Amino acid sequence: MALTIVDHPLAGTMLTALRDEATPPPLFRLLTKRLSLVLAVEATRGIPTATRTVTTPLAETQGIAFAAPLVAVPILRAGLGMLEAVTELFPEVAVGYLGLERDHATFQPSTYYSKLPDIGGSYVLLLDPMLATGGSAAAACASLYGAGPARVTLLSVVAAPEGIRRLEEEHPSLDVVTAAVDERLNDQAYIVPGLGDFGDRLFGT
Ligand code: PRP
Ligand code: URA
């Protein structure tokens, strides 16, 4: 599994503001979108391209075009906060949705919604800001890999070592791009220091 920790100062300052418990939902949403733009740029560095001829006002020249279909799959709810960044960068992207909810006592995810486009041969950007135990991301990957994508990259805001280890074991071909790897999980399986419950902070619940 390839793990990329984005160390650009822009990502670091936005993540710091997201961690701040005083950051209210409107600013939290804005920062989530902006940080997701940075993560999406990093996550699509290796997307295949093909030559495209273009005519400038002065001459014909060779440029590039994306050569692989791109699919974004946010994990509801929190992943929705990352979606607009991807659709703005890649307007042609197809979007699928996975609704997963973690049980508060067992921390096991259950699926309550699934609507995926054809992802065979596609580059899939799986959007979920928190990688804690890894249960939700692993369940999402099991659905996605069954449909034959060319590549799946998880975009995460904060990851725990426990979740990274689990994904390495269960989905070694997954790529992960994150803004931070934190210290540990607490006994409620929240990431420490983390930023709290991402979905609640995003949607003000
Ligand atoms: C949160 C988060 C991830 C998941 C991570 O979702 O958005 O999807 O927990 O935890 P894990 O790695 O231990 O599975 P939650 O289930 O709280 O749902 P929500 O996004 O609707 O708040
Ligand atoms: N989900 C969250 O929203 N935050 C955590 O710290 C762990 C799981």
Side-chain angles (χ1 to χ4, degrees):
M1 190 183 83
L3 172 67
T4 303
I5 304 169
V6 177
D7 66 352
H8 196 288
L10 189 57
T13 53
M14 289 190 288
L15 174 59
T16 302
L18 285 170
R19 289 190 193 276
D20 188 343
E21 64 177 1
T23 298
L27 180 56
F28 194 91
R29 281 194 283 272
L30 181 71
L31 290 165
T32 297
K33 179 179 168 182
R34 289 189 179 161
L35 179 53
S36 300
L37 285 166
V38 177
L39 296 172
V41 166
E42 189 58 44
T44 51
R45 191 180 281 282
I47 194 170
T49 57
T51 303
R52 178 181 163 234
T53 305
V54 67
T55 307
T56 78
L58 300 179
E60 192 174 276
T61 188
Q62 300 300 310
I64 60 168
F66 294 128
L70 204 61
V71 176
V73 179
I75 298 181
L76 311 181
R77 291 176 301 167
L80 282 177
M82 306 173 79
L83 179 60
E84 204 174 71
V86 175
T87 57
E88 280 188 10
L89 277 178
F90 305 100
E92 73 284 6
V93 70
V95 181
Y97 296 89
L98 285 175
L100 293 173
E101 189 167 27
R102 210 171 71 144
D103 184 274
H104 286 292
T106 65
F107 317 128
Q108 297 302 311
S110 57
T111 303
Y112 59 85
Y113 187 73
S114 176
K115 185 99 178 166
L116 295 175
D118 178 10
I119 62 171
S122 295
Y123 272 53
V124 178
L125 302 178
L126 178 60
L127 311 177
D128 191 348
M130 303 307 272
L131 174 59
T133 66
S136 303
C141 286
S143 305
L144 296 174
Y145 280 118
R151 186 188 285 193
V152 181
T153 303
L154 171 66
L155 275 64
S156 135
V157 171
V158 181
E162 292 89 336
I164 291 170
R165 275 197 297 276
R166 177 166 178 176
L167 293 179
E168 266 167 356
E169 282 164 20
E170 293 186 22
H171 298 288
S173 55
L174 177 72
D175 295 326
V176 177
V177 174
T178 187
V181 177
D182 274 9
E183 287 164 23
R184 62 185 170 87
L185 297 178
N186 68 11
D187 58 6
Q188 294 302 305
Y190 274 87
I191 302 172
V192 180
L195 49 74
D197 189 303
F198 203 100
D200 284 350
R201 297 198 60 195
L202 189 68
F203 295 114
T205 50

